[in-house]
Amino acid sequence: MAKYSEEFKLMVVKEYNEGTLGHKLLATKYGVKAHSQVKRWIDVYKKFGKEGLKRKNHKETYSVQFKLDVLSFMKRTGSSETETALHFGLANPPIIGSWKKSFMEGGTEALDRPKGRPPMSNKAKNGKNKKPAEVKEMTYEQKLERENELLRLEVEYLKKLRAFQMDPEGYLEKHKQRYHSNSNKPSN
């Protein structure tokens, strides 16, 4: 996947806002493979301004419950990844696709796995630790506690889904305020 600079994205968005070319023609003009990428930049810029186009230096982490709420909203409303991301205040819509894929492949537990390689310890960075790192095993009790927590989250998700299926309009109206007030407060 190509990485585009903040300046490049801003230039494309400003040209779109001038009204001379649409997002498909701009993608072709600047060699962006997917015109949906240009549309995403435009939508993110409208919602977050220049800040939304910046690359993040740190990875934000989101709770399993938050991820389930996002996926549930997208399924219930039929919203696109971009629309859902904007609704929840996420500047990176493709992250929702990765959550959906993880959930489909591994269920709720897959949403709890950290991405990427764990950070190096100071000893390893300094080259002092030449032995392989010891892996801390979770105790049986810790594994059960983790499994219980994930099952609780899954049950909560299913309850919310059932409530929505029974009364979609009432459910959305009841939870609309909550989502808007929490959309800028992602938790770990």
Side-chain angles (χ1 to χ4, degrees):
M1 171 196 247
K3 299 285 183 184
Y4 300 96
S5 70
E6 176 188 341
E7 294 78 22
F8 176 78
K9 294 176 195 177
L10 191 58
M11 175 187 69
V12 173
V13 168
K14 284 185 177 180
E15 190 168 335
Y16 173 84
N17 287 338
E18 290 170 3
T20 55
L21 297 175
H23 63 274
K24 289 182 182 180
L25 290 174
L26 284 169
T28 304
K29 177 180 177 181
Y30 291 107
V32 178
K33 289 185 180 180
H35 65 86
S36 60
Q37 180 69 59
V38 174
K39 182 164 180 3
R40 210 176 287 131
W41 295 340
I42 294 163
D43 292 340
V44 167
Y45 182 81
K46 285 178 186 173
K47 175 86 175 187
F48 302 107
K50 189 176 176 180
E51 288 296 311
L53 298 176
K54 287 185 178 180
R55 273 199 211 129
K56 307 294 184 247
N57 290 334
H58 64 286
K59 288 194 174 200
E60 291 190 50
T61 55
Y62 302 96
S63 69
V64 174
Q65 186 61 55
F66 179 77
K67 294 174 186 178
L68 288 171
D69 288 346
V70 170
L71 294 174
S72 176
F73 174 85
M74 192 166 90
K75 183 175 182 178
R76 286 190 322 260
T77 62
S79 299
S80 69
E81 287 177 9
T82 302
E83 293 165 338
T84 303
L86 294 175
H87 178 80
F88 283 91
L90 300 169
N92 180 19
I95 197 170
I96 297 172
S98 66
W99 294 346
K100 184 176 180 181
K101 181 180 178 194
S102 294
F103 183 73
M104 298 302 278
E105 291 174 356
T108 308
E109 189 171 329
L111 294 175
D112 195 31
R113 292 186 197 130
K115 287 281 184 190
R117 188 176 9 176
M120 291 177 64
S121 68
N122 284 336
K123 287 181 182 178
K125 284 180 188 174
N126 296 333
K128 293 177 184 174
N129 188 3
K130 303 286 184 199
K131 298 179 214 171
E134 290 183 33
V135 178
K136 272 194 170 179
E137 286 290 321
M138 287 175 52
T139 66
Y140 182 70
E141 187 177 287
Q142 289 171 324
K143 288 179 184 177
L144 288 176
E145 286 175 0
R146 178 185 163 129
E147 185 177 354
N148 280 340
E149 179 61 23
L150 291 172
L151 289 171
R152 273 194 287 277
L153 289 170
E154 194 166 359
V155 167
E156 188 64 31
Y157 170 74
L158 293 172
K159 284 181 182 176
K160 288 181 180 183
L161 184 59
R162 187 179 307 126
F164 171 76
Q165 289 171 337
M166 293 173 88
D167 181 17
E169 293 300 318
Y171 183 87
L172 288 176
E173 190 58 38
K174 180 179 174 187
H175 290 79
K176 190 175 186 179
Q177 289 272 331
R178 185 176 136 219
Y179 287 125
H180 286 293
S181 65
N182 290 338
S183 66
N184 292 328
K185 302 176 195 172
S187 61
N188 292 339

